[in-house]
């Protein structure tokens, strides 16, 4: 598991969205307050791209490599 944490001044209604290399959404989860615990579940090895949206606007994005 990986814990994503937002700054203390961030809105508490954030959403974590994960896409595969083809741009398909493979995961969507709500933050619990300022934290989101990412669990791999059944995702295959590979490179994924995440986006954190707050109030419908993308605020953070990055890459996750699963091995």
């Amino acid at each position: 598991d990986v814990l994503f944490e937002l700054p203390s001044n961030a809105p508490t209604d954030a959403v974590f969205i994960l896409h595969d290399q083809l741009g398909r959404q493979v995961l969507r989860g709500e933050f619990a307050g300022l934290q989101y615990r990412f669990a791999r579940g059944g995702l295959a090895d590979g490179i994924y791209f995440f986006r954190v949206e707050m109030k419908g606007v993308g605020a953070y994005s990055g890459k996750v490599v699963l091995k």
Side-chain angles (χ1 to χ4, degrees), residues 6-7 9 15 39 46 54:
L6 297 173
N9 62 345
V15 178
M54 293 182 276

Side-chain angles (χ1 to χ4, degrees), residues 7-30:
S8 61
N9 62 345
T12 57
D13 59 346
V15 178
F16 180 88
I17 303 167
L18 190 69
H19 292 91
D20 64 14
Q21 291 183 10
L22 299 176
R24 298 177 296 206
Q25 182 177 309
V26 295
L27 180 77
R28 181 181 182 92
E30 302 285 328

